[in-house]
Amino acid sequence: MNTAGHSEATERRGLELTPFRGLRYDPDRVGSLAAVTSPPYDVVVRPDGVHHLQSADPHNIVRLILPQAGSPSAGTEQAADTLHRWQAEGILTTDPEPGLYVYEQHDGNGLLQRGVIGALRISEPSEGVVLPHEEVMPPVVADRAALMRATSANLEPLLLTYRGNGAAAEVVEAVAGRPPLLATTTEDGFHHRLWSITDPAEVTLVQSDLAHRQALIADGHHRWATYLRLRAEHPSPSPWDYGLVLLVDTARYPLRVRAIHRLLHGLPVAQALEHVKGLFRVRRLDVPLPAAQEALADAACAGNAFLLAGDGAFHLIDRPDPDLLARTIPDDRPAAWRTLDATVLHATLLDHVWRIPEDSPAHIAYIHDTAATVAKAERDGGTAVLMHPVREEVVRDLARQGVTMPRKSTSFGPKPASGLVLRALDV
């Protein structure tokens, strides 16, 4: 990888994406490519999620991204040992020449997403090149940093979006018409295909186009913060100046934006409702989940609204008391931030009404799957707080203003499958 030879002005103007030698599973050495993939580390939500993936194939990527051991340090050591063993055994092999990778996902029902995977120059938010939109939790960053240090690898690509509709998109389309390096279908029904771009002219077209673009972190804030931390630990120039990303042009392929829900441990629904009485309007909904979500969407059009679940019913809470919001929400941010559901949830409900620390796994969990959140709340006697998704335009506008949303405010997708291509930093 070329980490030098560019002027400062060139480096600062936009996205700098470089080819790398991908580390990929040898399909002849594993049961199937689908069986060794996993959702991103923070999306494995089922109670038996890790066990299920480990059972799918002894070489499933979850053994690297979520190692199971007696302690965090033992887990990172185990992941490093596993990675090196798989490389020595030829389970994972390095592609012969550096390239960018075109990645396609489609669900067979009209949803198609394509993007380009490469090693992106890491930049500070102040540079305005890669825009974060959510706050991060330091313990998670520390955990991911320990794993990357131990393995000396980027095990999963982050999901970044940009709006271009230019030469890079044309190259992606052209490459997608060729035979792929790999094709597989995962158990969620998504079809995945991967191609490499090694032709210098095509690589240059992609790089030149992206050099004028700005990206939004759609998924992977903690891993981007990890990239920044590890870059600071290694003298530049070094491979740590770059991090593995998937860049999707949302002018061609708009992403879905979904909410990330909260599971409040140790807070029964009845108690949660008792605390909001008189502060929000509360309505009980004895309807199935889809109908409850429709009611939430309707209420969200008029203002802040949430669904509480865990006792066999759904409870729609909306129309918060304006005086309560004025007392609990900081007034030093733009109106678009102050009126976010996530802002009201964290500043008003969690901090003030329920007094639940948002960064304590003992008190709160963040779950992407709606039905799984409800099921866990009902099983454990806690409260599920179901959210309505934020529009992508709101996320991007706030990010451009340098305003971060409360942590775990959005879930962009579809997310790239982990395990299709890795980046070893010692290659």
Side-chain angles (χ1 to χ4, degrees):
M1 179 188 303
N2 182 15
T3 57
H6 297 274
S7 69
E8 187 72 9
T10 300
E11 285 195 337
R12 297 299 181 190
R13 71 184 182 185
L15 300 166
E16 183 186 330
L17 194 69
T18 67
F20 69 103
R21 295 176 62 197
L23 184 63
R24 298 189 295 112
Y25 282 99
D26 181 343
D28 295 329
R29 300 295 306 277
V30 296
S32 74
L33 289 174
V36 296
T37 65
S38 164
Y41 79 97
D42 58 342
V43 188
V44 183
V45 298
R46 288 178 296 190
D48 65 340
V50 173
H51 174 73
H52 171 83
L53 291 166
Q54 286 181 333
S55 301
D57 190 282
H59 302 108
N60 189 282
I61 190 69
V62 77
R63 296 178 185 272
L64 303 182
I65 62 175
L66 285 174
Q68 301 299 296
S71 69
S73 60
T76 56
E77 290 178 16
Q78 176 178 292
D81 290 344
T82 300
L83 175 60
H84 297 148
R85 186 176 71 254
W86 289 355
Q87 289 176 280
E89 294 174 352
I91 303 299
L92 288 167
T93 60
T94 305
D95 283 338
E97 57 183 318
L100 302 175
Y101 295 83
V102 170
Y103 175 45
E104 175 190 275
Q105 296 162 275
H106 72 90
D107 66 353
N109 295 309
L111 177 62
L112 173 67
Q113 178 173 291
R114 288 179 181 146
V116 59
I117 295 175
L120 183 69
R121 184 185 68 84
I122 298 162
S123 58
E124 297 286 347
S126 59
E127 296 179 46
V129 176
V130 176
L131 303 176
H133 70 267
E134 287 184 356
E135 298 171 2
V136 298
M137 293 175 271
V140 178
V141 176
D143 173 75
R144 292 294 101 184
L147 183 63
M148 286 190 206
R149 279 191 211 99
T151 58
S152 191
N154 299 152
L155 302 172
E156 309 176 88
L158 282 64
L159 176 60
L160 274 59
T161 72
Y162 72 100
R163 298 189 66 80
N165 209 17
E170 296 298 331
V171 172
V172 166
E173 297 302 312
V175 171
R178 304 170 188 167
L181 286 176
L182 64 86
T184 191
T185 301
T186 45
E187 67 175 8
D188 58 6
F190 269 87
H191 307 280
H192 308 261
R193 295 197 295 172
L194 190 76
W195 298 260
S196 64
I197 309 175
T198 55
D199 178 78
E202 290 183 325
V203 169
T204 298
L205 279 173
V206 172
Q207 291 177 317
S208 299
D209 185 13
L210 294 177
H212 304 280
R213 309 296 182 190
Q214 179 187 61
L216 175 75
I217 301 176
D219 186 67
H221 282 82
H222 289 90
R223 284 168 286 168
W224 185 259
T226 301
Y227 288 170
L228 285 165
R229 175 181 293 190
L230 295 176
R231 182 191 64 168
E233 295 176 4
H234 296 82
S236 186
S238 86
W240 297 94
D241 293 340
Y242 295 78
L244 187 64
V245 304
L246 165 65
L247 280 162
V248 173
D249 183 352
T250 53
R252 291 277 181 111
Y253 301 103
L255 270 67
R256 297 180 307 193
V257 186
R258 292 178 171 173
I260 301 177
H261 310 296
R262 275 65 171 162
L263 174 62
L264 309 181
H265 306 300
L267 180 68
V269 175
Q271 188 175 334
L273 291 171
E274 183 64 29
H275 285 306
V276 300
K277 192 178 296 182
L279 302 175
F280 286 71
R281 182 175 69 167
V282 180
R283 287 178 285 167
R284 179 185 173 100
L285 306 176
D286 289 300
V287 297
L289 176 57
Q293 289 179 291
E294 288 181 14
L296 174 62
D298 291 341
C301 292
N304 302 117
F306 310 91
L307 277 176
L308 305 188
D311 63 349
F314 295 98
H315 307 269
L316 179 65
I317 65 171
D318 64 352
R319 299 186 184 180
D321 176 25
D323 291 337
L324 172 68
L325 300 183
R327 291 197 314 272
T328 56
I329 294 178
D331 59 4
D332 59 348
R333 308 283 183 91
W337 180 89
R338 296 198 304 272
T339 55
L340 287 170
D341 285 340
T343 299
V344 172
L345 173 62
H346 284 260
T348 303
L349 283 168
L350 292 179
D351 292 352
H352 181 80
V353 176
W354 293 325
R355 300 189 182 279
I356 293 175
E358 60 182 300
D359 57 355
S360 170
H363 293 87
I364 186 169
Y366 298 84
I367 304 177
H368 295 73
D369 185 272
T370 310
T373 311
V374 175
K376 288 188 179 201
E378 291 181 344
R379 186 181 65 251
D380 301 340
T383 295
V385 182
L386 307 183
M387 311 276 287
H388 186 67
V390 184
R391 298 192 321 278
E392 182 181 354
E393 310 89 81
V394 174
V395 176
R396 196 175 293 276
D397 287 346
L398 285 172
R400 284 181 175 144
Q401 296 176 60
V403 178
T404 54
M405 299 167 64
R407 59 195 62 175
K408 299 292 184 182
S409 295
T410 59
S411 175
F412 285 85
K415 304 178 190 302
S418 299
L420 295 179
V421 60
L422 294 66
R423 173 177 175 252
L425 277 73
D426 52 5
V427 172

